[in-house]
Amino acid sequence: MRDMVNFTLRNAGFEVFEAEDGVKALALAKTQSVDVVLTDINMPNMDGVTLVKELRALPQFRSTPILVLTTEGNEDKKMAGRAAGATGWIVKPFAPDKLIAVVNKVCP
């Protein structure tokens, strides 16, 4: 799935940084300036809700759009994501054009 997101965004002209889990994503985020973050809920080592909370605690990510891209569609998960500070929620599978449209909508 990460490869598909990467491919879709790169083909739309976006520069993409990727990490295979939440811990690596947080470490990468501390070294890169980004316009938007996409995360899954279910990841090894640190889940997406925790990642969102950790990112929102960093000054440079207080207003950065954070989109959750996941198979989890239940309301409890969505509420947890919103409470952590997620900007939006995209349920997998997704249409590539929808992903690009949402990213374009939230990017400054």
Side-chain angles (χ1 to χ4, degrees):
M1 183 55 68
R2 210 171 58 241
D3 289 340
M4 184 177 174
V5 171
N6 189 341
F7 177 80
T8 299
L9 294 175
R10 285 185 191 275
N11 278 351
F14 293 97
E15 181 178 11
V16 177
F17 301 101
E18 64 178 292
E20 58 269 12
D21 66 40
V23 171
K24 291 180 181 173
L26 182 59
L28 181 64
K30 291 178 178 178
T31 67
Q32 300 295 327
S33 175
V34 299
D35 295 324
V36 64
V37 173
L38 288 160
T39 185
D40 201 335
I41 288 293
N42 300 311
M43 297 185 293
N45 302 316
M46 180 190 296
D47 69 4
V49 172
T50 304
L51 176 61
V52 173
K53 288 178 188 173
E54 293 289 330
L55 289 173
R56 287 294 185 223
L58 300 172
Q60 66 270 33
F61 284 93
R62 290 210 177 107
S63 62
T64 301
I66 301 175
L67 301 173
V68 177
L69 180 65
T70 186
T71 57
E72 299 285 347
N74 72 49
E75 282 304 312
D76 290 342
K77 292 284 186 176
K78 286 182 182 180
M79 286 175 41
R82 281 188 208 107
T87 307
W89 196 274
I90 302 171
V91 178
K92 295 187 278 188
F94 64 90
D97 56 331
K98 180 180 179 183
L99 175 64
I100 293 166
V102 171
V103 170
N104 280 324
K105 183 178 181 179
V106 299
C107 277

